[in-house]
Amino acid sequence: MLKLYDRELSGNAYKARLLLALLDVPYQRIPVAMKEGRNLVDSAYAGLNPRGQIPTLVDGEDVLWGSTAILCYLALRHDPAGSWLPRDPLPMGRVMQWLELAQNEILGGLFRARGIVKFGLPGDLPAAQATAVSALEVLESRLRGDRWLAGPEPTIADIACFPYVALAWEGGVEIASYAGVRRWVGDVQSLPGFVGMPGIEGQSVG
Amino acid sequence: MLKLYDRELSGNAYKARLLLALLDVPYQRIPVAMKEGRNLVDSAYAGLNPRGQIPTLVDGEDVLWGSTAILCYLALRHDPAGSWLPRDPLPMGRVMQWLELAQNEILGGLFRARGIVKFGLPGDLPAAQATAVSALEVLESRLRGDRWLAGPEPTIADIACFPYVALAWEGGVEIASYAGVRRWVGDVQSLPGFVGMPGIEGQSVG
């Protein structure tokens, strides 16, 4: 069975949990402890993930680290129809645009603001919140006219961008004025098989 | 013909130029001006790229923004053999691990340190340099024993990680003590069709 190195409150690990739930793929969760705001990385875990972060996915002999790689891998392996990650150049490129946003303005803004406000991590809160707003504006520019981020159907682009947007309030960032973003958050939560996490409504993965 | 919105000194735009050169795909460069350390984004460019960043690729009616999306799109479209971006789940997942590193520790460390030192942008230089070191350590953990980042052959993972590593010295970061990284930089520079940019040896794209 797949193993996911994970933590309940991690939005990055939740991306993997959410796609696994939507694809109905069974897996085992292995929690990674924290110490002083960082992952507690022993040498065994460092051997699995040289970045010392979560999530990490273990599939038999194979190891993949980072939410981007895990989302792509799971979609390619467990969704042969290619709905969650289209295989053709332009549709896949469109998904990748949003995976890059998820790793840039969304992590540098929404993720960081949440870390400062919710977990007391050091950082420049006004700067993080300003970056968060720029992320929301980019998302709104798409979602005010389109239902999903990368194409006519939901893809891993939506999964990658969703968690820290839905958790924006935990970093003191309001999404109320972004009508398209707000509607999209509800649409993601309505997907068959959707699961939540602490801070995001929906059945949590136990 | 493909159009690339670009700037000579941008390592992110150079990722696209480098892959286009390695794939021997002709394209037209359109420089995007800067003002006070930011891209000068008029409404036409904002319509192409909602993030207001470079690079942006225009292929006929189709527009793709961000180096990750552009690298994936070009590899899928112009390298049908799948050498630069393998199509199978595990090899593609392995490429995506490094694309995520390129968007995280490499941009947050090496890119940011260069911006502060070379372009006088605001920021915390010691913090950026510390992140840069963590990026180099992750790269070294792979490259001390393997020739390329994601598999037995060069892929877009190498293209995505290369520029800001090769430009590390412009941010006051030394790569001399990372023997695997140093060897790999030379191997990338030896690829048939390789082009450089200011700060990276090799014929520049005129």
Side-chain angles (χ1 to χ4, degrees):
Chain A
M1 188 186 287
L2 292 178
K3 290 181 193 163
L4 183 71
Y5 289 80
D6 178 44
R7 195 165 44 244
E8 182 73 16
L9 291 179
S10 163
N12 280 318
Y14 167 64
K15 296 172 192 176
R17 299 198 299 268
L18 178 52
L19 184 61
L20 285 159
L22 294 167
L23 294 172
D24 199 19
V25 174
Y27 66 103
Q28 177 192 353
R29 293 174 70 182
I30 302 173
V32 175
M34 290 193 89
K35 189 177 176 183
E36 292 164 14
R38 303 173 67 94
N39 294 322
L40 189 61
V41 178
D42 56 18
S43 60
Y45 192 63
L48 293 177
N49 186 334
R51 293 170 69 201
Q53 301 185 353
I54 54 171
T56 301
L57 184 76
V58 178
D59 187 355
E61 299 292 302
D62 302 322
V63 181
L64 282 163
W65 36 263
S67 61
T68 304
I70 293 171
L71 290 178
C72 291
Y73 174 78
L74 290 172
L76 292 168
R77 174 132 291 168
H78 294 283
D79 172 36
S83 159
W84 289 97
L85 179 58
R87 312 299 199 254
D88 287 339
L90 188 66
M92 188 185 286
R94 295 226 155 108
V95 170
M96 294 298 157
Q97 294 178 330
W98 300 100
L99 295 186
E100 184 169 317
L101 186 84
Q103 293 295 319
N104 277 274
E105 289 90 336
I106 291 179
L107 283 194
L110 292 159
F111 167 88
R112 187 163 299 174
R114 176 174 179 255
I116 297 168
V117 171
K118 185 178 172 74
F119 299 112
L121 297 176
D124 180 341
L125 183 60
Q129 289 173 333
T131 302
V133 165
S134 74
L136 291 169
E137 285 172 354
V138 175
L139 292 165
E140 182 70 16
S141 74
R142 166 77 189 179
L143 295 170
R144 78 165 65 98
D146 293 276
R147 185 163 182 201
W148 304 106
L149 285 174
E153 300 294 333
T155 66
I156 59 171
D158 301 286
I159 307 296
C161 293
F162 173 75
Y164 293 108
V165 173
L167 294 167
W169 60 280
E170 294 193 340
V173 177
E174 274 288 346
I175 67 166
S177 56
Y178 302 96
V181 170
R182 245 183 26 238
R183 188 265 316 146
W184 168 80
V185 166
D187 283 352
V188 173
Q189 287 176 301
S190 301
L191 289 168
F194 177 86
V195 292
M197 65 168 274
I200 301 178
E201 274 180 48
Q203 185 187 334
S204 199
V205 183
Chain B
M1 188 185 291
L2 292 178
K3 290 181 194 165
L4 183 71
Y5 288 80
D6 178 47
R7 195 161 47 243
E8 182 72 18
L9 291 178
S10 162
N12 281 319
Y14 167 64
K15 295 173 191 174
R17 299 197 299 267
L18 178 52
L19 184 60
L20 285 160
L22 294 167
L23 293 172
D24 199 19
V25 173
Y27 66 103
Q28 177 192 353
R29 294 175 69 182
I30 301 174
V32 175
M34 291 193 87
K35 189 176 177 184
E36 291 164 16
R38 302 174 69 95
N39 294 324
L40 189 61
V41 177
D42 57 19
S43 61
Y45 192 62
L48 292 177
N49 185 335
R51 294 171 69 202
Q53 300 185 354
I54 54 172
T56 301
L57 184 75
V58 178
D59 188 355
E61 298 293 303
D62 302 322
V63 181
L64 283 164
W65 37 263
S67 61
T68 304
I70 292 171
L71 290 178
C72 290
Y73 174 77
L74 290 172
L76 292 168
R77 175 131 289 170
H78 294 284
D79 171 35
S83 160
W84 289 98
L85 179 57
R87 311 302 198 253
D88 287 337
L90 188 65
M92 188 185 285
R94 294 225 156 108
V95 170
M96 295 298 157
Q97 293 179 331
W98 300 100
L99 296 186
E100 183 169 317
L101 186 84
Q103 294 295 320
N104 276 275
E105 289 90 334
I106 291 180
L107 284 195
L110 292 159
F111 167 89
R112 188 164 298 176
R114 176 174 178 255
I116 297 168
V117 172
K118 185 178 173 75
F119 299 112
L121 297 177
D124 180 340
L125 183 60
Q129 290 174 333
T131 302
V133 165
S134 74
L136 291 169
E137 285 172 353
V138 175
L139 292 164
E140 182 69 15
S141 74
R142 166 76 189 181
L143 295 170
R144 77 165 68 99
D146 293 275
R147 186 163 182 200
W148 304 105
L149 286 174
E153 301 293 333
T155 65
I156 59 171
D158 301 286
I159 307 296
C161 292
F162 173 77
Y164 292 108
V165 173
L167 294 167
W169 61 280
E170 294 192 340
V173 177
E174 273 288 347
I175 67 166
S177 56
Y178 301 95
V181 171
R182 247 183 24 239
R183 188 265 315 145
W184 167 80
V185 166
D187 283 352
V188 174
Q189 288 176 300
S190 300
L191 288 169
F194 178 86
V195 292
M197 65 169 274
I200 301 179
E201 275 183 47
Q203 185 188 334
S204 200
V205 183

